[in-house]
Amino acid sequence: MPHIQIQDFKEVSFPFSHEGIDFDFIASNIKYPDEKLICATSEDKTFLLQVKQGETNWLLKSDKVTRVSPNFHIKNAINAYADKAGLEVLFSNLAQKHTQHREKDSALKHINFFEKSFPDAKEIWVEVGFGSGVHLIHQAQQNPDVLHIGIEIHKASIEQVLKQIAILGLDNVMLVDFDARLFLEFVPSNLVGRIFVHFPVPWDKKPHRRVISHPFISESIRALKKGGTLELRSDSENYFSYSLQTFLELNQSDFQVRKNQDIGIVSKYESRWRKMEKNIYDITLTNNEDSEAIKSDYDFSLSDKCGVDFTELNTQTIRFENGFIHFERVYSIENDGFLVRLSMGSFDKPEHLFILVKDGKTSYFPHQPIASRTNYNSHLKLKELLHG
Ligand SMILES: C[S@@+](CC[C@H](N)C(=O)[O-])C[C@H]1O[C@@H](n2cnc3c(N)ncnc32)[C@H](O)[C@@H]1O
């Protein structure tokens, strides 16, 4: 995580621009004023930096919810703020000002790119949690006419695979930094040829975080074209049994189970398990149905007038059928409004975002929730709460 340790934090006057970064505002946690968020924009990416007081010094780092890739945007913003405010840096894990060629990150697409208009390729394959990217890159090289969409939540893996894509000059791969369970909800119906879920985290102690679940399988079937496949590969007997059970619980399904199948490429994880002589299990589900088109034109706008006292909502949770809204932290922007961090949607795959109330306007920050049915239901509840 890009960060610097500093002797003292110094606030400067906002807004300002420095070293190519626009700084819009600073907001302070209403409960713990030593925690602050700074809004920064680098090129077309808007995100927050977090300031926190530790026991002996201060930390200036990337905020987790709004963190962007590639992380040179964040590094440059931290360096720019430190320079402008004249911060005394005690430790830094940032390189000097970093620039990256546009073409290097062109494979990385923002979630909005897919929301606005899903890529229109003849054949699309999706890989969930590509990790080191060995399988994704192999498939992209072997199948140049297929568009390969890799979904991953681990930033370091994304950075690493982006570099490989640039070095190999691959133009048939798109990466997206997002929770695959949410991403699938807005993939158009009957489109995808193959969905790979290879060596998903078993989450034995937190099963609600597992990728394989009834909603995930249903969304996969909807997104797959007729004859398309959902391909799970796992070394975990526990996860395999759980998945098998989950597939069997579906009303109707057509799937095959194989053990120790050679798929022609060995990922980093697989080689580790092979050395330990563990068994590898595959479950391949074939979709045999045509699904209805999804609705994607949800209106996520919020009215400008906001009739709630955010200080009272701090740490509150509102539950309703199939979902919730949790107001995690409230930050005040001096004389000018609030920034509210919240989680919303369904319990097993919540979306984390902010609401910004500033200059008499209320909006999601830095972007709207993704256009899924679950998010839209939560949005309607939130709207009711904010605007009455
Ligand atoms: C055990 S690794 C396997 C990586 C790779 N598939 C392989 O075979 O080497 C699981 C990967 O899934 C990613 N992951 C976990 N949950 C995810 C989710 N909900 N959406 C996207 N990626 C996820 C993790 O960050 C991790 O990189």
Side-chain angles (χ1 to χ4, degrees):
M1 176 90 79
H3 70 273
I4 56 172
Q5 276 173 23
I6 46 186
Q7 188 64 45
D8 279 312
F9 177 68
K10 291 181 206 152
E11 217 171 296
V12 291
S13 169
F14 284 81
F16 67 94
S17 296
H18 190 59
E19 296 183 344
I21 313 285
D22 296 326
F23 293 92
D24 194 13
F25 62 83
I26 187 164
S28 304
N29 188 321
I30 59 164
K31 216 167 160 198
Y32 307 104
D34 288 341
E35 192 226 331
K36 298 172 195 297
L37 294 173
I38 296 172
C39 174
T41 301
S42 165
E43 297 179 8
D44 57 343
K45 299 190 191 270
T46 297
F47 50 92
L48 295 165
L49 301 179
Q50 189 190 35
V51 184
K52 244 180 153 175
Q53 187 168 26
E55 276 177 19
T56 52
N57 46 46
W58 291 74
L59 208 59
L60 177 57
K61 59 178 189 171
S62 158
D63 158 68
K64 269 193 204 150
V65 173
T66 57
R67 196 173 161 186
V68 292
S69 290
N71 69 12
F72 74 86
H73 292 290
I74 300 165
K75 290 182 178 181
N76 287 349
I78 295 177
N79 276 332
Y81 188 89
D83 185 67
K84 174 79 177 179
L87 303 180
E88 189 185 334
V89 180
L90 305 174
F91 170 82
S92 164
N93 73 350
L94 319 174
Q96 286 305 299
K97 187 168 168 65
H98 186 106
T99 49
Q100 188 151 337
H101 298 300
R102 291 306 309 166
E103 57 277 17
K104 269 200 178 175
D105 63 326
S106 62
L108 181 66
K109 302 294 177 202
H110 192 271
I111 191 72
N112 293 149
F113 169 87
F114 294 95
E115 256 183 310
K116 276 181 198 142
S117 133
F118 209 86
D120 183 20
K122 219 167 154 200
E123 181 71 16
I124 298 179
W125 295 357
V126 171
E127 180 155 345
V128 171
F130 55 76
S132 60
V134 172
H135 179 261
L136 179 71
I137 300 278
H138 167 80
Q139 292 292 7
Q141 287 178 314
Q142 296 297 308
N143 303 282
D145 296 335
V146 175
L147 171 63
H148 303 261
I149 301 176
I151 317 167
E152 179 54 69
I153 48 174
H154 184 235
K155 314 280 175 196
S157 298
I158 296 171
E159 304 269 332
Q160 191 190 331
V161 176
L162 269 181
K163 278 187 201 143
Q164 292 179 56
I165 292 170
I167 290 166
L168 296 168
L170 295 171
D171 60 1
N172 60 334
V173 187
M174 290 180 181
L175 304 187
V176 57
D177 171 6
F178 215 72
D179 187 323
R181 299 170 302 170
L182 284 171
F183 181 85
L184 262 199
E185 273 197 41
F186 63 96
V187 175
S189 303
N190 314 309
L191 181 77
V192 177
R194 297 174 84 176
I195 300 174
F196 302 102
V197 185
H198 284 187
F199 302 95
V201 183
W203 290 117
D204 287 336
K205 293 199 177 125
K206 294 183 181 168
H208 65 281
R209 297 190 66 174
R210 286 176 176 159
V211 168
I212 298 291
S213 66
H214 286 146
F216 179 83
I217 301 174
S218 303
E219 287 300 337
S220 297
I221 290 175
R222 186 195 52 70
L224 285 170
K225 56 185 175 189
K226 249 186 175 170
T229 49
L230 168 62
E231 305 178 29
L232 167 71
R233 190 163 173 84
S234 177
D235 59 287
S236 157
E237 282 191 24
N238 201 14
Y239 198 88
F240 165 69
S241 312
Y242 155 80
S243 303
L244 192 58
Q245 184 62 33
T246 314
F247 277 81
L248 281 170
E249 281 162 7
L250 292 176
N251 197 14
Q252 214 184 1
S253 57
D254 169 0
F255 63 87
Q256 274 193 325
V257 177
R258 292 190 199 87
K259 190 172 164 183
N260 296 329
Q261 189 194 190
D262 190 345
I263 57 163
I265 180 76
V266 179
S267 80
K268 209 171 117 192
Y269 273 86
E270 181 162 345
S271 68
R272 192 186 293 171
W273 309 136
R274 280 198 185 192
K275 272 187 210 134
M276 291 163 69
E277 298 188 349
K278 279 181 100 180
N279 288 318
I280 310 282
Y281 303 93
D282 284 280
I283 304 181
T284 306
L285 175 138
T286 304
N287 171 44
N288 295 318
E289 48 191 73
D290 273 327
S291 302
E292 267 181 35
I294 45 162
K295 178 175 157 58
S296 58
D297 54 346
Y298 296 111
D299 176 9
F300 278 99
S301 58
L302 292 167
S303 313
D304 287 343
K305 211 167 159 293
C306 187
V308 292
D309 180 355
F310 281 109
T311 54
E312 282 183 10
L313 283 177
N314 200 9
T315 71
Q316 299 285 317
T317 304
I318 291 145
R319 291 160 207 267
F320 43 90
E321 209 195 337
N322 300 327
F324 78 106
I325 302 167
H326 176 52
F327 294 87
E328 295 173 347
R329 294 180 195 176
V330 174
Y331 299 81
S332 70
I333 304 169
E334 209 180 344
N335 304 325
D336 205 15
F338 288 97
L339 188 62
V340 184
R341 193 175 96 177
L342 50 89
S343 40
M344 62 189 254
S346 67
F347 283 99
D348 55 353
K349 44 176 180 171
E351 171 131 342
H352 301 272
L353 36 71
F354 285 88
I355 296 175
L356 178 65
V357 183
K358 191 173 177 292
D359 302 330
K361 290 197 167 77
T362 306
S363 57
Y364 288 103
F365 176 92
H367 53 78
Q368 295 191 336
I370 64 154
S372 73
R373 202 174 45 249
T374 333
N375 280 347
Y376 186 63
N377 287 341
S378 302
H379 164 76
L380 292 180
K381 287 280 169 197
L382 185 68
K383 224 172 144 177
E384 211 178 287
L385 193 84
L386 299 185
H387 311 306

